[in-house]
Amino acid sequence: MPRVVSLFLPGWPIDRLRRALGTSAPPPETRLALVGRDGARRVVTAASRAAEAAGVRVGMPLAKAHALVPDLSTMPAAPAADAAALERLALWVLQHYAPIVAPDPPDGLVIDTTGADHLHGGEKHMLSGLVNRLEASGIAARAAIADSWGAAHALARFHADPVFAASPGDGGAAADPLPVAGLRLEPEAAGALRLLGFSRIGALRLAPRAPLVLRFGPLLGCRLDQLEGRVAEPVDPFRDPELVTVRRAFGEPIGAAETIARYTQKLVCDLCRALESRGLGLRRADLLFYRVDNTLQAIRIGTARAERDEKRLVRLLCDRIETVDPGFGIEVMSLTASRAEPLVLRQATCLPGEMEDADLGGLVDLIANRIGGRRLYRMAPVESDVPERSVRRVPPLAPDDGATWDSRWPRPARLLARPEEITVMALLPDHPPASFTWRGRRRIVRRADGPERIFGEWWKRDAERAAVRDYFHVEDEAGERFWLFRSGDEKAVSGGLGRWFLHGIF
């Protein structure tokens, strides 16, 4: 079942302008409006949140806006720059999230994520990650995912807060409580529907279709069918001319898996030759299948490092062919290097006694394309005394920077994600525990080593200036070893009054 994401950028022209101006941009609390022309009139084309709160609306004549808000700041609108920036944003989403992305002017994107959400930890994690990354860049965003473009478009603009995932197969029912403006109708048609009492999409879906189409034209019926998924609305994928792309068109539609695999191999050979001529290697590839019913199927693969190994790339793509539904046939196949990097060739070792390092790239690529690249990583050391901050996730094949952990004190093989509080009995307040209770089980301590005192990172946060932990390495009567610590300020810890936690297992 197709799944489509609509990304709505409520403050897009203003946010785009602020990013372009950088430090010279007006602050967010400024009442700012962008002004364009509607015939001979000057009208507001976009308004900041502060201006909207004061009553300024898109489409309002500029004279009326100035009368309403005397201190309103204005700047000329730049539709061409907004559209170009929206295309750059579409290219970024294409390279990081899904193979089928298209601008949805004037303030959104549409993304076909069918089969790609598992690479990002599921639909909700994917939407949250996308919105959070945009928010961190100064771009307000809301996103919704549904079975159709129409439903996702309405949900993103009138329901998402900031994300919403409609249940698969809901047939547009999630959009029933939303206003009719979510149907992408002309403003005049939406206003006329409201005058007739149709304020919600659900009321329109239940009303007889023929009288409405007779009065408002076929577009209303088409939008309702698109919302419910009865009429296909394919996403025309955006492609940057700079991306390396190869394609094959067929005189007769193809559908057999063996035929698709054969032409996939030919496309990979063509793409590798094109990349070689530019000195590039593949990091992410999108194989698109244009079906005769005007719908798209897609396969996306990624590699841990730049590659031009034809056999490896063909294997990664052919492993996913079973996910493609050819329908009544495929008439065009297109393979795009949506992400490429310079590839530096390395001389193979041929001297006696020298051994080549094991190449784990093929294994990493195989696993990453099955479970998702974000879920495959290795741990690298970070210079920090606080244990939970002394590790970070890096890509599996990231180069070794030579950093290592301090070996003066032993560290557990398993560090808990969060320290768990325990109940402790000690012979003296400042001594190691004689016993402790963890997860409902009491353990008698036979041996203990410590304390190792660790102070908070006071130079990062004021709250850690007085933070102290005393760590103990203890062994219970069954021979199991644990990493415990007593936490609090320095006076409380030294007097044995801090709270106890279990942080790791040896």
Side-chain angles (χ1 to χ4, degrees), residues 152 163 172 266 288-289 369 486 488:
V163 301
K266 295 180 179 180
L288 302 185
F289 304 89
N369 283 281
R486 183 170 48 212

Side-chain angles (χ1 to χ4, degrees), residues 120-188:
H120 305 278
E123 292 180 345
K124 291 186 177 180
H125 285 287
M126 178 182 64
L127 295 183
S128 299
L130 175 58
V131 169
N132 290 339
R133 292 180 73 174
L134 290 174
E135 290 279 0
S137 300
I139 300 175
R142 300 203 297 265
I145 186 169
D147 295 340
S148 66
W149 182 350
H153 184 278
L155 291 165
R157 281 150 181 80
F158 297 99
H159 187 69
D161 185 29
V163 301
F164 180 78
S167 302
D170 74 340
D176 282 349
L178 306 183
V180 293
L183 284 177
R184 296 174 291 166
L185 301 172
E186 294 295 330
E188 296 79 7

Side-chain angles (χ1 to χ4, degrees), residues 8-32:
F8 174 46
L9 311 171
W12 172 241
I14 302 290
D15 290 344
R16 195 278 306 170
L17 182 65
R18 287 202 172 104
R19 284 174 57 84
L21 294 176
T23 56
S24 61
E29 63 271 12
T30 303
R31 294 174 177 179
L32 174 65

Side-chain angles (χ1 to χ4, degrees), residues 336-360:
T336 300
S338 53
R339 185 179 171 191
E341 295 177 356
L343 177 60
V344 179
L345 299 180
R346 196 173 48 136
Q347 176 67 45
T349 299
C350 58
L351 297 177
E354 293 189 6
M355 296 292 293
E356 280 283 337
D357 294 333
D359 183 12
L360 299 178

